[in-house]
């Protein structure tokens, strides 16, 4: 198990424009050849947007983009004609396939924080697609078959335990709260990369929310 702390993330964004970003993997000018990906997961960016701030229209190709809102409301628009306000508890999935352009903004009155995770598809190509699962239930898996991945959401009360899946690779991100995972203490923004996971469980030391990626080799 390789634990990466929130403070170790690469800083990015444009603070003067109300955009603060923390990258878990090599990204843009922060090139680290030893931290390019973990299985199909190639980015895990924590974004914080001030009211009125956002990312103008920009392109993506051959990427599965999954977004989890931590607080606030995210406005999404894309070249496929989709427009949606995404809120905490919703899973948003944009499959860029051969190419798509989108806009992401904070059009709300309060701060916005969201986690955006990019996965490399098993095969390039296909048609772009977009979908949102509103208010996904605890322990309901969300499949991203194009990347051979499965997302599990875990919400725990203090003292509660949950098993994590057995998998060739697991990526566990703590959205909020504090947990212990196989003896390691993890706080909000921390993540664990686990290879050959078998029989592990997470124990919440405070009320907590976890995103657990079950990844193919």
């Amino acid at each position: 198990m390789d634990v990466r702390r929130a403070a170790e993330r690469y800083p990015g964004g444009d603070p003067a424009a109300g955009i603060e970003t923390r990258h878990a993997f090599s990204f843009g000018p922060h090139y680290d050849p030893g931290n390019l990906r973990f299985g199909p997961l190639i980015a895990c960016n924590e974004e914080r947007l001030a009211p009125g701030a956002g990312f103008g229209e920009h392109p993506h190709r051959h990427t599965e983009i999954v977004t989890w809102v931590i607080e606030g409301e995210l406005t999404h628009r894309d070249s496929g004609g989709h427009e949606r306000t995404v809120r905490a508890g919703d899973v948003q999935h944009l499959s860029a396939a051969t190419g798509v352009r989108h806009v992401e903004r904070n059009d709300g009155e309060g701060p916005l924080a969201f986690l955006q995770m990019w996965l490399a598809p098993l095969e390039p190509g296909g048609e772009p697609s977009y979908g949102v699962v509103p208010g996904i239930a605890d322990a309901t898996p969300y499949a991203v078959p194009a990347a051979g991945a499965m997302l599990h959401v875990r919400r725990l009360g203090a003292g509660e335990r949950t098993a994590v899946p057995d998998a060739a690779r697991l990526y566990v991100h703590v959205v909020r709260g504090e947990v212990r995972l196989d003896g390691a203490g993890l706080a909000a923004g921390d993540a664990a990369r686990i290879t050959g996971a078998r029989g592990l469980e997470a124990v919440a030391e405070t009320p907590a929310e976890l995103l657990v990626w079950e990844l193919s080799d």
Side-chain angles (χ1 to χ4, degrees), residues 115-143:
L115 200 68
Q116 191 164 91
M117 298 150 286
W118 299 4
L119 298 99
L122 300 173
E123 299 289 342
E127 292 297 319
S129 64
Y130 176 81
V132 173
V133 178
I136 193 166
D138 183 50
T140 299
Y142 179 80

Side-chain angles (χ1 to χ4, degrees), residues 6 68 122 139 145 149 153 165 167 208:
W68 182 262
L122 300 173
V153 179

